[in-house]
Structures are given as structure tokens and as C-alpha cells.
Amino acid sequence: MKEDKEITIYDLAKHLKISAATVSRSLKDHPGISKSTKKKVQEAAKEMGYRSNNFARNLRKQKTNTIGVIVPKLNSYFVSSAIAGMEKIANENGYNLIISQSLESVKKEIANTITMFNSRVDGLLVSLAYDTENMEHFDVFFDKNIPVVFFDRVYEDSRSLNVIIDNYRNAYDITKHLIDEGCKRIMHIAGNLTRNVYAERCRGYKDALRDAGFEFQDELLIVNELSEEAGKELGKKILQMPNKPDAVFVANDVCAANCMQIIKTAGYSIPGDIAFAGFNNDPISKIVEPHLTTVNYPCYEMGEMAMRNLIDHLTGDGNISTTNKIILRSEIVVRASSLKGKGQ
Amino acid sequence: MKEDKEITIYDLAKHLKISAATVSRSLKDHPGISKSTKKKVQEAAKEMGYRSNNFARNLRKQKTNTIGVIVPKLNSYFVSSAIAGMEKIANENGYNLIISQSLESVKKEIANTITMFNSRVDGLLVSLAYDTENMEHFDVFFDKNIPVVFFDRVYEDSRSLNVIIDNYRNAYDITKHLIDEGCKRIMHIAGNLTRNVYAERCRGYKDALRDAGFEFQDELLIVNELSEEAGKELGKKILQMPNKPDAVFVANDVCAANCMQIIKTAGYSIPGDIAFAGFNNDPISKIVEPHLTTVNYPCYEMGEMAMRNLIDHLTGDGNISTTNKIILRSEIVVRASSLKGKGQ
DNA sequence: TTGTAGGCGTTATCAC
DNA sequence: GTGATAACGCCTACAA
């Protein structure tokens, strides 16, 4: 059926000769409305092409049924997988998502935060931009008791829930694995150390070295952006080092794969001359040759988990999170790029 | 400043001893309000922490400022890049995005369509699911004159705008390139042929063969899903062919790279024994070895273009699109995987 | 079991 | 240049 004017509950009421209140209640399956009226109303609604008006509803209920998501960048394997997981859970629970990207800039992150606030999202899911240091822009949410869940790149704060993996442990394991393979000069390429993920991975790296009786060397730690291009640049940089590392642990796969490729193309054998390891289990890690040792990061599950907890919190389905930190399981995946003994 | 109750224009009005109407007008910079009152109002608004209520506004204006996006799957290079482009444009123009994925199933696509409709999006951007054949679920939008823009996987319909690339031309060029390299038995791995993108690529393949005087052979056309796993399966399938192709043109890079890898691992030389080509210029194409010949698909730009046109349409910024089809520039990128003469 | 009535925060239409 | 008032469509005390 095709109409131009929107049908409202009043139209239905008039049509059925009952009150709008009864229509409203019937539509939301209110107990205390007779089966027969309910049925009548629901049928008429379908017939006349009624659709409920969320704005009126939200205005009245002071609730939006919308969840905001702020991520650094939509087009990365990690983020798109996490969002796919979030979308699934949100959709199942009747929530809408509004998504925006900070493009790794605090400035845009702040702007997005304000937009989300003005859109009156019921809750917020955030993975921080590369250079965010100050967290004041989230205060408006805390002040209004709007729940904020951070995932992956989080902010340690008692007022919010964090969903993360054990970056420290994984980095420790990777480094230890490289040591076990006989590597002596292990380089680590990290991201901005004010971001928990990179700080923790770096700490894991350092502790593994220490526990193996190695001394940490400043020249073997590079803090840098971790993009595709950056990987290539870093590869060239390593090629120019007089005293090269015999292993490189990069804090993400895209960067690792591109870095490795430059070095391989320059004639070095991998892992023979230099072993490599990355982080994330990006599909690229299984394509690059040799395949990249990495950490199996549960991206999709993290999205699901973060969203599920936010929604549980919103609907008050038990204050399940007595804690404010959820750590998902992740583990090291060993592949050829780091198997020194059995080099390709 | 921290309050618990939301400030409304009435609060501002009372505070300033003027009417709510004046406040409303001042806030939206209405001409015909004195500079001084405007300034007073705007300052008070900031001071008291006023934020406008979009629901009341939308309810009143019968407009949502929200655009719906339905994609097959969020976690793919193409989609996440396109969405990144859309988000940028939408954000610049003050629109919100609500995004959902069909997970390649018509059924979910229909459900998403209904949700979008009920959310009263001002417009819709869609890339179709793998198996969508019937388009009736979009009729509600057409009937209500809500603009729908299809991108990439489109539906030819006079009522909607399509943003695409010239899949036919690109596939033709790829195939011709393989022929020029001396390939004689060129296989094509396509996706569902009811989807324009795959149908067009297939048509380009066939025409290029024909124009070169080759006969099309049924056994050299495989229609299949194009995932990572599918790529591996297809690789195994090819290995079992008694009379193998000397080139394989796959309709997407992820599938191509995985397929190629299986064949390479089995000991065949690429492109020596079998040349390969893909489609999309996914980052994976520059990592896999040999690097994959492919088509440089402007994903991000397509997202921008689709969104920009939708918004122009919405704001009536000229009915620029006298046409209902926009074709973006894309071109073949030749890499080692298809350079038969100069095989690795 | 159903109806009445008021209000959620804005904006557009009249008036002045 | 400004104010009063009536919608927009829905929900929910409170009444009946």
C-alpha cells in the first residue's frame, strides 16, 4: 500500500474507533490490553502502512536507542572487524550505530565526541586516536552518566569499562619466542607509547629481554607510526644500520609485512639473517612470504564483547561488570618468519 | 559546567527574560534578530551548557539528518575504504550515518532495509548482497521519494543513482593484457553473475577472448564465492585439472592471492606456468609474491562520490545528476604475477 | 480493559 | 525585532 502522508497512531485510532492510548499500548504489546484489540490494532497497522516515529518516541522517552562509535580509522583490518562484531550485536538488540573516525587526530576525535554528545547517544564505544593524551573531552559523558566503553586503545579510568587483550603477555611471549629461536639482537618497532597497546607491548618486549639476561639497547627500539608506508621507510632505515638486528618485532602486521618485504628484496634472508614478528593476525600475515609470526587478535569478538557489555549496562541486565576491565584471550601464532632454525 | 537536567530553549528564555521563539531564532542565526540579542543568547547557551535536541527538531521538521548505509560486509578492504570516504563527506555536511551489514544475505538485507525505513533515514546508500535478486524491498523508499544511491554492486533502475566503475572495460583490459603476454588458456573465476560487477567482468573477459580470436570454453569459467577460503579451495581444484590454464583472472584480489599461493606452494611457477590477475588493488596484492596484477579500484573516492551526490540531491544543490549513472575512473595495474615474458 | 490529557523540545505561523 | 501559540507523534500517569 502506498500513501504520501505518514500514518500515526491517531489515524489508526480513528480508523478502529478506539483511543490512541490503546493503539500505543497494543503496538508495544502492553499487558492489560485484550488479545483481540491487540490483534486488531496490529493488523490495521500493517494494512495501513504504519511505522512508528522514533523521534517522537525518543523525545518522549528521553532515550535514543543509538550508540556512538569512534575509531581512529575505519579502513583497517582490526577496526572493520571489530565494527562488524559491534554491528551484529547492536542490530540484534535493536540499537542503531552511528560511527565516526578520528583519522588519528585528537582534534577530530574531540569534534566527533561533541557530535555524539549532541546526538544524545545512549552510550559510546571508543578506540583512541594515535595522539590523544588528554581525556577531558569524555568528561561530559561521565558527568551525565552516559556509559563509555573503551576498546583496544583504552584510557585507564575508573569511570569506564575497558575491553582489551593482554598486550604485555603477548609481546613478552613473542620476544621470548625470538630469544628461544636464538636471536640476540632483537629490535622492537613500537607505536606511540602513550597508547596503552604500544606501551604494553613495549614493556613485554623489555621484560622478556631482561628475564633472558639481555640488556635493553636504546638503538633497538624505534617508536614510529605503523602504516604501510612507514613499514617501507623503516625497512630502508634498518638496511642502513651498520650493526643490524637479527630479529624485528613490529607492533602491527601491516607495518611488519611491508618492512620485511623491503629487507627481503634487498637480498637478506628471512628469517635466516633477520627474523620477523608482527601483531594482529591480519590476513596479510598469511600471505606475505615467509608467513608472519604474529598474535591472534580477536578483533570481531572484541567488537561483540564491547557492544554486549555496553548494552547490558544500558538495559541494566545485571551489573555484570563488577570489574571495569575485560581481557580477551589472544595468543601468539608462530609462522615461518621467525623460525630461525628451520629458515625457509 | 555540570548539570543534571537538560537545558532547553525555555530555560534560556527565562534566564534572559525573552521568549523561546527568539532564543530559537537566535540560535539558528535567523535574519531579523538583532545582533545584540543573538550574541546574548549564544553566550548564555554556551554558559549554561545548552545542547539542542535533535529529536524535537526532527519531529518538528520531519527530517532526520541521517543517512543509512547497507553493505554486504564491513570487514573488507573495499567496503571499509568506501565507508571511510562516506563518513568523511557526511561528517563535513552535518549528517549522521547509520550503518548495517547484510552479511551477504538477502534476508538480512531486507531486515536492514526495514530498519532503515523505520529510522526514517533521509537517504540510503546500498551495495547489494551476494544473492539479492528481487528489489521489492527498496520500493518503499522509491514510493516515498527517499533517494537511494547504489554503489559498486548496483541495481539498474531509473529511480536510483548508480555509482560504479567500468567493470567491463577493466576486465577486458586485464584479459587482453594476459593474451598479449602470450597466454592461451585463460581461466576466469567470477562471482555470482546476477551481480553487475561480476557479470560485467565476465563479459569483459569473454569479449576480450573473442576479439583475440579465442573461443570461450565453459570449463575455464568458474562461478564461485570469492573469499579467502574459497581462493584456497579453487587453487586445489585447479591443481587437479588435467588440462590446466596458463593464466587465471580472478574477480577479486583476496581470492586471487590465496588461490595463487596454493598453486605456487604446489611447485608451479608464477607467472611462468600460470599467470595471475585479480581485481581491487587490495593491499594484499602488493604483498603476495609475485605481486598481483589487478585493477586500481577507487574505493575511498567511490564512497565520497556516492555520499556527495546523495547529499547534493537532498539539499537540492542543483539536480546535478541529469544522468543516473556515475562511472569513476579505474585502471589496470600491471605487476609481476602476469608478466609472462619476464617471469620471476 | 480502555480513555483522557499533558508534556517531551522545537520551529513555523501569526500577530504585534 | 519579538512574542504567543500551535503543532510534530508518542507515551504514561491518572481516571473511569
Side-chain angles (χ1 to χ4, degrees):
Chain A
M1 188 175 275
K2 168 178 173 174
E3 330 73 10
D4 259 40
K5 201 185 134 291
E6 287 288 344
I7 304 294
T8 73
I9 51 172
Y10 284 100
D11 299 321
L12 290 179
K14 205 183 301 169
H15 182 74
L16 296 169
K17 300 193 201 318
I18 55 178
S19 80
T22 304
V23 173
S24 172
R25 288 192 269 246
S26 299
L27 288 171
K28 58 167 300 204
D29 213 17
H30 186 97
I33 292 281
S34 74
K35 292 257 180 222
S36 64
T37 13
K38 266 185 205 167
K39 198 171 163 193
K40 250 188 352 206
V41 172
Q42 274 152 8
E43 277 169 2
K46 187 164 288 178
E47 187 129 356
M48 300 178 63
Y50 167 81
R51 54 174 181 165
S52 94
N53 185 318
N54 283 320
F55 305 105
R57 176 168 217 276
N58 291 337
L59 176 59
R60 177 57 230 245
K61 304 235 300 181
Q62 308 281 52
K63 196 192 176 257
T64 70
N65 249 285
T66 296
I67 288 168
V69 182
I70 302 179
V71 293
K73 193 163 159 277
L74 279 161
N75 43 346
S76 83
Y77 169 72
F78 169 72
V79 170
S80 59
S81 303
I83 288 192
M86 290 173 188
E87 196 276 337
K88 174 158 163 283
I89 302 295
N91 194 296
E92 285 172 6
N93 289 275
Y95 281 85
N96 280 328
L97 244 51
I98 68 181
I99 300 177
S100 71
Q101 45 187 346
S102 61
L103 298 175
E104 300 285 14
S105 120
V106 214
K107 209 176 145 206
K108 234 208 136 205
E109 183 175 283
I110 294 175
N112 291 340
T113 302
I114 294 170
T115 306
M116 294 292 179
F117 187 64
N118 287 335
S119 301
R120 285 171 156 75
V121 293
D122 290 339
L124 197 59
L125 289 170
V126 183
S127 184
L128 294 169
Y130 193 76
D131 59 346
T132 302
E133 303 206 354
N134 186 308
M135 295 293 149
E136 286 171 10
H137 46 301
F138 296 107
D139 284 351
V140 283
F141 291 91
F142 296 135
D143 288 350
K144 276 217 169 1
N145 279 313
I146 300 169
V148 180
V149 174
F150 291 97
F151 65 97
D152 186 51
R153 296 185 185 175
V154 307
Y155 168 49
E156 297 274 350
D157 185 300
S158 62
R159 297 172 295 179
S160 63
L161 172 67
N162 287 351
V163 182
I164 47 177
I165 58 168
D166 191 340
N167 288 285
Y168 170 78
R169 181 88 263 150
N170 294 140
Y172 186 99
D173 289 349
I174 288 252
T175 311
K176 178 153 189 324
H177 160 73
L178 290 170
I179 294 169
D180 290 347
E181 287 291 317
C183 303
K184 307 278 183 217
R185 267 179 74 73
I186 304 174
M187 165 175 265
H188 178 47
I189 298 181
N192 185 336
L193 295 179
T194 61
R195 280 286 73 70
N196 64 302
V197 287
Y198 304 122
E200 287 293 286
R201 289 172 202 178
C202 187
R203 195 164 65 83
Y205 158 76
K206 285 183 176 172
D207 282 7
L209 289 186
R210 185 204 56 206
D211 291 355
F214 288 27
E215 198 178 341
F216 166 69
Q217 297 179 51
D218 241 351
E219 74 204 63
L220 292 181
L221 174 63
I222 299 186
V223 174
N224 201 79
E225 208 199 327
L226 299 175
S227 64
E228 200 176 319
E229 298 72 33
K232 290 180 185 148
E233 290 308 315
L234 289 164
K236 291 178 198 156
K237 212 162 175 177
I238 291 173
L239 287 175
Q240 287 163 3
M241 288 174 69
N243 190 4
K244 295 194 181 33
D246 57 4
V248 183
F249 163 35
V250 187
N252 103 22
D253 285 343
V254 170
C255 185
N258 281 280
C259 179
M260 182 167 96
Q261 205 167 47
I262 291 289
I263 289 177
K264 185 180 159 194
T265 305
Y268 288 85
S269 139
I270 292 168
D273 297 327
I274 306 184
F276 265 88
F279 212 104
N280 276 2
N281 202 20
D282 190 297
I284 215 177
S285 66
K286 279 177 291 190
I287 289 291
V288 71
E289 293 183 32
H291 293 2
L292 196 57
T293 289
T294 184
V295 170
N296 182 18
Y297 198 123
C299 317
Y300 190 87
E301 291 74 16
M302 181 172 277
E304 289 186 310
M305 182 61 84
M307 183 59 81
R308 190 166 359 244
N309 271 274
L310 180 58
I311 291 178
D312 283 354
H313 185 93
L314 249 25
T315 53
D317 272 12
N319 322 8
I320 305 165
S321 50
T322 57
T323 166
N324 69 331
K325 189 182 283 191
I326 294 180
I327 300 176
L328 296 186
R329 187 179 174 72
S330 58
E331 65 223 349
I332 167 173
V333 182
V334 175
R335 301 211 184 93
S337 75
S338 66
L339 292 174
K340 212 81 169 176
K342 313 144 198 168
Q344 65 174 6
Chain B
M1 190 175 274
K2 167 177 173 173
E3 331 74 7
D4 260 38
K5 202 184 134 293
E6 287 288 343
I7 303 295
T8 73
I9 51 172
Y10 282 101
D11 298 321
L12 291 180
K14 204 182 301 170
H15 182 74
L16 297 169
K17 299 193 203 317
I18 55 178
S19 80
T22 304
V23 173
S24 172
R25 288 192 269 248
S26 301
L27 254 19
K28 59 168 300 204
D29 213 16
H30 186 96
I33 291 282
S34 75
K35 294 255 180 224
S36 63
T37 12
K38 266 185 204 167
K39 198 171 164 195
K40 249 187 357 204
V41 171
Q42 275 151 9
E43 276 168 2
K46 186 165 290 179
E47 186 130 356
M48 300 177 64
Y50 167 81
R51 53 174 180 165
S52 92
N53 185 320
N54 283 320
F55 303 105
R57 175 164 218 274
N58 292 338
L59 175 59
R60 181 58 233 240
K61 305 234 300 179
Q62 308 282 51
K63 197 193 176 257
T64 69
N65 248 284
T66 296
I67 288 168
V69 181
I70 302 180
V71 293
K73 194 163 160 276
L74 279 161
N75 43 345
S76 83
Y77 170 71
F78 168 71
V79 170
S80 58
S81 303
I83 289 192
M86 291 174 187
E87 196 277 336
K88 175 159 160 283
I89 302 296
N91 194 296
E92 285 172 8
N93 288 275
Y95 281 84
N96 279 328
L97 245 49
I98 68 182
I99 301 177
S100 70
Q101 45 187 344
S102 61
L103 298 175
E104 298 287 16
S105 121
V106 214
K107 210 176 143 203
K108 235 207 138 206
E109 184 174 283
I110 293 175
N112 291 340
T113 303
I114 295 171
T115 307
M116 294 293 180
F117 187 64
N118 287 334
S119 302
R120 284 172 158 72
V121 293
D122 290 339
L124 196 60
L125 290 169
V126 183
S127 184
L128 294 169
Y130 192 75
D131 59 345
T132 302
E133 303 207 354
N134 186 308
M135 294 293 150
E136 286 171 10
H137 46 302
F138 295 107
D139 284 351
V140 283
F141 290 92
F142 296 134
D143 288 349
K144 277 216 168 2
N145 278 313
I146 300 169
V148 180
V149 174
F150 291 98
F151 65 97
D152 186 50
R153 296 186 186 174
V154 307
Y155 168 48
E156 296 275 351
D157 184 300
S158 62
R159 298 171 295 179
S160 62
L161 172 68
N162 287 351
V163 181
I164 46 177
I165 58 167
D166 191 342
N167 288 285
Y168 170 78
R169 182 88 261 148
N170 294 141
Y172 185 100
D173 289 349
I174 288 252
T175 310
K176 177 152 189 326
H177 160 73
L178 290 170
I179 293 169
D180 290 347
E181 287 292 317
C183 303
K184 306 280 183 215
R185 269 179 72 73
I186 305 174
M187 166 176 263
H188 178 47
I189 297 180
N192 185 336
L193 295 178
T194 61
R195 281 287 72 71
N196 65 302
V197 287
Y198 304 121
E200 288 292 286
R201 289 171 201 178
C202 186
R203 195 163 65 82
Y205 159 75
K206 286 183 176 171
D207 281 7
L209 288 187
R210 186 204 54 208
D211 291 355
F214 287 28
E215 197 178 343
F216 166 69
Q217 297 180 51
D218 242 352
E219 75 203 62
L220 291 181
L221 174 63
I222 299 186
V223 174
N224 201 79
E225 207 200 327
L226 298 175
S227 64
E228 198 175 320
E229 299 72 31
K232 290 181 185 148
E233 290 307 317
L234 290 164
K236 290 179 198 156
K237 213 162 174 177
I238 291 172
L239 288 174
Q240 286 164 5
M241 288 174 69
N243 189 5
K244 296 192 181 37
D246 58 4
V248 182
F249 164 35
V250 187
N252 104 21
D253 285 342
V254 171
C255 185
N258 281 279
C259 180
M260 182 168 96
Q261 205 167 47
I262 291 289
I263 289 176
K264 184 179 159 195
T265 306
Y268 288 85
S269 139
I270 292 168
D273 298 326
I274 305 183
F276 265 87
F279 211 105
N280 276 2
N281 202 19
D282 190 295
I284 214 176
S285 66
K286 278 177 290 189
I287 289 292
V288 70
E289 293 183 28
H291 293 1
L292 196 58
T293 289
T294 185
V295 171
N296 183 16
Y297 198 124
C299 317
Y300 190 87
E301 290 75 16
M302 180 171 278
E304 288 185 310
M305 183 60 84
M307 183 59 81
R308 189 164 2 243
N309 271 274
L310 180 61
I311 291 177
D312 283 355
H313 185 94
L314 249 27
T315 53
D317 271 13
N319 321 8
I320 304 164
S321 49
T322 58
T323 167
N324 70 328
K325 190 183 283 190
I326 294 179
I327 300 176
L328 295 188
R329 187 180 173 72
S330 57
E331 64 224 348
I332 167 173
V333 182
V334 175
R335 301 212 184 93
S337 74
S338 67
L339 292 173
K340 212 80 170 175
K342 314 142 198 167
Q344 67 171 4

